[in-house]
PDB file of all heavy atoms in Angstrom:
ATOM      1  N   GLU A 221       0.302  -1.804  11.100  1.00  0.00           N
ATOM      2  CA  GLU A 221      -0.588  -1.567   9.965  1.00  0.00           C
ATOM      3  C   GLU A 221       0.069  -0.605   8.975  1.00  0.00           C
ATOM      4  O   GLU A 221       0.961   0.159   9.327  1.00  0.00           O
ATOM      5  CB  GLU A 221      -1.926  -1.022  10.455  1.00  0.00           C
ATOM      6  CG  GLU A 221      -2.722  -2.078  11.219  1.00  0.00           C
ATOM      7  CD  GLU A 221      -4.143  -1.632  11.495  1.00  0.00           C
ATOM      8  OE1 GLU A 221      -4.959  -1.588  10.564  1.00  0.00           O
ATOM      9  OE2 GLU A 221      -4.434  -1.321  12.665  1.00  0.00           O
ATOM     10  N   ASP A 223      -0.753   2.095   7.598  1.00  0.00           N
ATOM     11  CA  ASP A 223      -0.807   3.554   7.753  1.00  0.00           C
ATOM     12  C   ASP A 223       0.216   4.062   8.773  1.00  0.00           C
ATOM     13  O   ASP A 223       0.344   5.262   8.969  1.00  0.00           O
ATOM     14  CB  ASP A 223      -2.220   4.018   8.131  1.00  0.00           C
ATOM     15  CG  ASP A 223      -2.726   3.368   9.395  1.00  0.00           C
ATOM     16  OD1 ASP A 223      -2.130   2.368   9.835  1.00  0.00           O
ATOM     17  OD2 ASP A 223      -3.735   3.837   9.949  1.00  0.00           O
ATOM     18  N   ARG A 227       5.900   6.290  10.587  1.00  0.00           N
ATOM     19  CA  ARG A 227       5.774   7.028  11.852  1.00  0.00           C
ATOM     20  C   ARG A 227       6.977   6.858  12.762  1.00  0.00           C
ATOM     21  O   ARG A 227       6.993   7.392  13.878  1.00  0.00           O
ATOM     22  CB  ARG A 227       4.502   6.612  12.619  1.00  0.00           C
ATOM     23  CG  ARG A 227       3.215   6.613  11.822  1.00  0.00           C
ATOM     24  CD  ARG A 227       2.935   7.909  11.089  1.00  0.00           C
ATOM     25  NE  ARG A 227       2.590   9.021  11.969  1.00  0.00           N
ATOM     26  CZ  ARG A 227       2.157  10.200  11.527  1.00  0.00           C
ATOM     27  NH1 ARG A 227       2.031  10.410  10.230  1.00  0.00           N
ATOM     28  NH2 ARG A 227       1.883  11.163  12.370  1.00  0.00           N
ATOM     29  N   LYS A 245       4.639   0.717  -3.522  1.00  0.00           N
ATOM     30  CA  LYS A 245       4.133   1.444  -4.690  1.00  0.00           C
ATOM     31  C   LYS A 245       2.967   2.348  -4.311  1.00  0.00           C
ATOM     32  O   LYS A 245       2.778   3.406  -4.920  1.00  0.00           O
ATOM     33  CB  LYS A 245       3.727   0.454  -5.781  1.00  0.00           C
ATOM     34  CG  LYS A 245       4.938  -0.296  -6.342  1.00  0.00           C
ATOM     35  CD  LYS A 245       4.939  -0.330  -7.848  1.00  0.00           C
ATOM     36  CE  LYS A 245       6.257  -0.814  -8.401  1.00  0.00           C
ATOM     37  NZ  LYS A 245       6.110  -1.983  -9.260  1.00  0.00           N
ATOM     38  N   ASP A 256       1.628  16.283  -7.311  1.00  0.00           N
ATOM     39  CA  ASP A 256       0.924  16.788  -8.498  1.00  0.00           C
ATOM     40  C   ASP A 256      -0.218  17.723  -8.105  1.00  0.00           C
ATOM     41  O   ASP A 256      -0.433  18.761  -8.741  1.00  0.00           O
ATOM     42  CB  ASP A 256       0.360  15.621  -9.324  1.00  0.00           C
ATOM     43  CG  ASP A 256       1.456  14.857 -10.059  1.00  0.00           C
ATOM     44  OD1 ASP A 256       2.625  15.281  -9.986  1.00  0.00           O
ATOM     45  OD2 ASP A 256       1.145  13.837 -10.692  1.00  0.00           O
ATOM     46  N   ARG A 267      -1.805  34.729  -6.663  1.00  0.00           N
ATOM     47  CA  ARG A 267      -1.553  34.785  -5.233  1.00  0.00           C
ATOM     48  C   ARG A 267      -0.828  33.526  -4.758  1.00  0.00           C
ATOM     49  O   ARG A 267       0.146  33.586  -4.025  1.00  0.00           O
ATOM     50  CB  ARG A 267      -2.884  34.927  -4.488  1.00  0.00           C
ATOM     51  CG  ARG A 267      -2.717  34.826  -2.992  1.00  0.00           C
ATOM     52  CD  ARG A 267      -4.014  35.025  -2.244  1.00  0.00           C
ATOM     53  NE  ARG A 267      -3.855  34.497  -0.887  1.00  0.00           N
ATOM     54  CZ  ARG A 267      -4.691  34.714   0.096  1.00  0.00           C
ATOM     55  NH1 ARG A 267      -5.788  35.444  -0.108  1.00  0.00           N
ATOM     56  NH2 ARG A 267      -4.483  34.202   1.283  1.00  0.00           N
ATOM     57  N   LEU A 274       7.494  32.328  -2.029  1.00  0.00           N
ATOM     58  CA  LEU A 274       7.893  32.651  -0.661  1.00  0.00           C
ATOM     59  C   LEU A 274       8.167  31.368   0.130  1.00  0.00           C
ATOM     60  O   LEU A 274       8.997  31.337   1.038  1.00  0.00           O
ATOM     61  CB  LEU A 274       6.762  33.463  -0.010  1.00  0.00           C
ATOM     62  CG  LEU A 274       7.103  34.372   1.168  1.00  0.00           C
ATOM     63  CD1 LEU A 274       8.212  35.350   0.789  1.00  0.00           C
ATOM     64  CD2 LEU A 274       5.866  35.144   1.598  1.00  0.00           C
TER      65      LEU A 274
ATOM     66  N   GLU B 245      -0.732  -1.498 -11.193  1.00  0.00           N
ATOM     67  CA  GLU B 245       0.190  -1.487 -10.062  1.00  0.00           C
ATOM     68  C   GLU B 245      -0.234  -0.423  -9.054  1.00  0.00           C
ATOM     69  O   GLU B 245      -0.938   0.525  -9.380  1.00  0.00           O
ATOM     70  CB  GLU B 245       1.621  -1.242 -10.546  1.00  0.00           C
ATOM     71  CG  GLU B 245       2.161  -2.430 -11.336  1.00  0.00           C
ATOM     72  CD  GLU B 245       3.658  -2.298 -11.610  1.00  0.00           C
ATOM     73  OE1 GLU B 245       4.458  -2.451 -10.675  1.00  0.00           O
ATOM     74  OE2 GLU B 245       4.010  -2.039 -12.766  1.00  0.00           O
ATOM     75  N   ASP B 247       1.173   2.016  -7.638  1.00  0.00           N
ATOM     76  CA  ASP B 247       1.549   3.423  -7.772  1.00  0.00           C
ATOM     77  C   ASP B 247       0.666   4.168  -8.775  1.00  0.00           C
ATOM     78  O   ASP B 247       0.814   5.367  -8.950  1.00  0.00           O
ATOM     79  CB  ASP B 247       3.036   3.573  -8.151  1.00  0.00           C
ATOM     80  CG  ASP B 247       3.384   2.834  -9.427  1.00  0.00           C
ATOM     81  OD1 ASP B 247       2.573   2.009  -9.872  1.00  0.00           O
ATOM     82  OD2 ASP B 247       4.471   3.076  -9.974  1.00  0.00           O
ATOM     83  N   ARG B 251      -4.394   7.632 -10.530  1.00  0.00           N
ATOM     84  CA  ARG B 251      -4.104   8.355 -11.776  1.00  0.00           C
ATOM     85  C   ARG B 251      -5.317   8.472 -12.686  1.00  0.00           C
ATOM     86  O   ARG B 251      -5.208   9.018 -13.793  1.00  0.00           O
ATOM     87  CB  ARG B 251      -2.961   7.686 -12.556  1.00  0.00           C
ATOM     88  CG  ARG B 251      -1.703   7.395 -11.766  1.00  0.00           C
ATOM     89  CD  ARG B 251      -1.128   8.567 -11.028  1.00  0.00           C
ATOM     90  NE  ARG B 251      -0.555   9.592 -11.889  1.00  0.00           N
ATOM     91  CZ  ARG B 251       0.155  10.626 -11.439  1.00  0.00           C
ATOM     92  NH1 ARG B 251       0.359  10.774 -10.149  1.00  0.00           N
ATOM     93  NH2 ARG B 251       0.616  11.511 -12.257  1.00  0.00           N
ATOM     94  N   LYS B 269      -4.402   1.687   3.483  1.00  0.00           N
ATOM     95  CA  LYS B 269      -3.744   2.259   4.660  1.00  0.00           C
ATOM     96  C   LYS B 269      -2.402   2.883   4.295  1.00  0.00           C
ATOM     97  O   LYS B 269      -1.980   3.857   4.923  1.00  0.00           O
ATOM     98  CB  LYS B 269      -3.576   1.181   5.735  1.00  0.00           C
ATOM     99  CG  LYS B 269      -4.922   0.722   6.281  1.00  0.00           C
ATOM    100  CD  LYS B 269      -4.930   0.633   7.782  1.00  0.00           C
ATOM    101  CE  LYS B 269      -6.336   0.453   8.318  1.00  0.00           C
ATOM    102  NZ  LYS B 269      -6.449  -0.751   9.144  1.00  0.00           N
ATOM    103  N   ASP B 280       2.002  16.123   7.531  1.00  0.00           N
ATOM    104  CA  ASP B 280       2.796  16.428   8.730  1.00  0.00           C
ATOM    105  C   ASP B 280       4.127  17.088   8.359  1.00  0.00           C
ATOM    106  O   ASP B 280       4.563  18.035   9.023  1.00  0.00           O
ATOM    107  CB  ASP B 280       3.069  15.154   9.537  1.00  0.00           C
ATOM    108  CG  ASP B 280       1.823  14.639  10.240  1.00  0.00           C
ATOM    109  OD1 ASP B 280       0.774  15.311  10.158  1.00  0.00           O
ATOM    110  OD2 ASP B 280       1.888  13.566  10.867  1.00  0.00           O
ATOM    111  N   ARG B 291       9.489  33.327   7.286  1.00  0.00           N
ATOM    112  CA  ARG B 291       9.262  33.461   5.848  1.00  0.00           C
ATOM    113  C   ARG B 291       8.281  32.387   5.347  1.00  0.00           C
ATOM    114  O   ARG B 291       7.348  32.677   4.611  1.00  0.00           O
ATOM    115  CB  ARG B 291      10.597  33.319   5.104  1.00  0.00           C
ATOM    116  CG  ARG B 291      10.404  33.278   3.613  1.00  0.00           C
ATOM    117  CD  ARG B 291      11.713  33.211   2.859  1.00  0.00           C
ATOM    118  NE  ARG B 291      11.446  32.767   1.486  1.00  0.00           N
ATOM    119  CZ  ARG B 291      12.317  32.799   0.503  1.00  0.00           C
ATOM    120  NH1 ARG B 291      13.529  33.244   0.727  1.00  0.00           N
ATOM    121  NH2 ARG B 291      11.994  32.374  -0.691  1.00  0.00           N
ATOM    122  N   LEU B 298      -0.106  33.128   2.604  1.00  0.00           N
ATOM    123  CA  LEU B 298      -0.416  33.556   1.247  1.00  0.00           C
ATOM    124  C   LEU B 298      -0.961  32.381   0.422  1.00  0.00           C
ATOM    125  O   LEU B 298      -1.793  32.552  -0.474  1.00  0.00           O
ATOM    126  CB  LEU B 298       0.866  34.110   0.608  1.00  0.00           C
ATOM    127  CG  LEU B 298       0.731  35.091  -0.552  1.00  0.00           C
ATOM    128  CD1 LEU B 298      -0.119  36.283  -0.146  1.00  0.00           C
ATOM    129  CD2 LEU B 298       2.125  35.575  -0.973  1.00  0.00           C
TER     130      LEU B 298
END
Side-chain angles (χ1 to χ4, degrees):
Chain A
E221 291 190 73
D223 57 345
R227 310 308 290 188
K245 294 227 168 123
D256 287 356
R267 173 178 162 167
L274 203 55
Chain B
E245 291 190 72
D247 57 346
R251 309 307 291 189
K269 294 226 168 123
D280 288 356
R291 173 177 163 169
L298 203 56

